[in-house]
Amino acid sequence: MRLLLVEDDRMIGDSLRSALRLEGHAVDWVRDAAAAEATLSSERFDIVLLDLGLPKGDGLDVLRGLRQRGDRTPAIVLTARDGLGDRVAGLDAGADDYLVKPFELDELNARIRAVLRRHEGRAEPLLRHGAVTLDPATRQVTRDGEPVLLSAREFAVLEALMARPGALLSRAQLEDRLYGWGEEIESNAVSVYIHQLRRKLGADFIQNVRGVGYFVGGGTPKP
Ligand code: CA
């Protein structure tokens, strides 16, 4: 999935970006409130991780602006401000969750999964379709109960498709979830990952509408 990290502390930002990339996410990183505003008004993300104490503005104002525009992008506030008033203000400004620094990466990852589950209206943590089950927490995929080994990027493509059954995702939308800024996009990469996934999960598991995109799940695909 594609994350926007808003963090002015170089060390924290650097280590979070590396750790989240290892989880297979595309991570873009901005370091001040003005850049966060500009990026959020022009690009789509699956989730925003937002520090509050920022140069050129305050994270709370970034969050309020986002919600005032009607943007429902899930947001988790990450901050050293641990007063009750700050936590309440963060949630009331439109945050979906709140994590006080320092935190463990495991907890951040679990909160990301929980926020996305709520955002997508799912109660069930596992994603299932047909014989295939995907566990976002353990990153395990099974087919007919047998483990299937996937690369981090194959997993990211499959997770994006299985999270919204029947939704058509274009090649560009899938590339967005695989590559952050400055990462070179290998041409044809999405086709290669889809080919590998079909080989491992069955030729019919991922369907495509030629020239438009890919989807998983029955029914008529929704753009
Ligand atoms: Ca800060």
Side-chain angles (χ1 to χ4, degrees):
M1 91 190 76
R2 183 155 195 216
L3 294 106
L4 181 67
L5 174 62
V6 184
E7 171 62 74
D8 61 316
D9 184 302
R10 199 169 283 267
M11 250 173 63
I12 297 177
D14 214 27
S15 65
L16 270 181
R17 179 172 62 176
S18 309
L20 291 165
R21 279 186 175 165
L22 279 180
E23 294 283 311
H25 304 313
V27 184
D28 297 329
W29 176 19
V30 293
R31 297 163 195 206
D32 64 60
E37 291 266 6
T39 305
L40 285 165
S41 349
S42 60
E43 299 190 41
R44 302 259 342 134
F45 293 89
D46 295 300
I47 197 159
V48 185
L49 306 177
L50 181 67
D51 181 30
L52 293 187
L54 292 167
K56 301 184 194 171
D58 192 281
L60 278 181
D61 293 328
V62 173
L63 197 52
R64 287 192 194 103
L66 190 70
R67 298 306 183 224
Q68 275 161 13
R69 292 195 297 275
D71 191 322
R72 297 174 64 240
T73 304
I76 300 179
V77 162
L78 310 176
T79 181
R81 298 179 192 171
D82 61 350
L84 173 66
D86 286 322
R87 292 203 297 276
V88 170
L91 292 167
D92 282 343
D96 298 277
D97 204 352
Y98 198 107
L99 205 50
V100 174
K101 295 170 183 169
F103 52 80
E104 297 289 326
L105 192 64
D106 280 352
E107 182 172 4
L108 173 61
N109 282 325
R111 285 179 188 268
I112 289 174
R113 290 191 292 270
V115 163
L116 288 176
R117 216 156 52 223
R118 288 202 295 272
H119 184 71
E120 289 157 2
R122 286 187 288 119
E124 161 71 274
L126 299 184
L127 302 177
R128 299 176 207 271
H129 179 68
V132 176
T133 301
L134 179 150
D135 185 340
T138 60
R139 308 183 62 76
Q140 280 186 334
V141 173
T142 60
R143 178 186 183 188
D144 292 317
E146 296 294 321
V148 179
L149 286 180
L150 300 182
S151 72
R153 284 187 165 156
E154 288 164 9
F155 182 91
V157 169
L158 184 65
E159 187 178 27
L161 291 169
M162 287 183 72
R164 292 165 206 81
L168 262 175
L169 289 178
S170 69
R171 176 187 303 265
Q173 285 171 319
L174 288 169
E175 282 172 352
D176 268 356
R177 286 171 168 79
L178 294 175
Y179 300 98
W181 298 332
E183 287 184 278
E184 197 178 336
I185 300 177
E186 308 142 78
S187 67
N188 234 19
V190 167
S191 310
V192 172
Y193 298 135
I194 296 279
H195 175 81
Q196 291 298 332
L197 286 167
R198 283 177 170 155
R199 193 175 61 74
K200 294 174 183 180
L201 303 173
D204 298 333
F205 189 74
I206 297 173
Q207 313 208 36
N208 63 303
V209 176
R210 195 168 287 280
V212 183
Y214 300 95
F215 67 101
V216 157
T220 313
K222 307 180 281 285

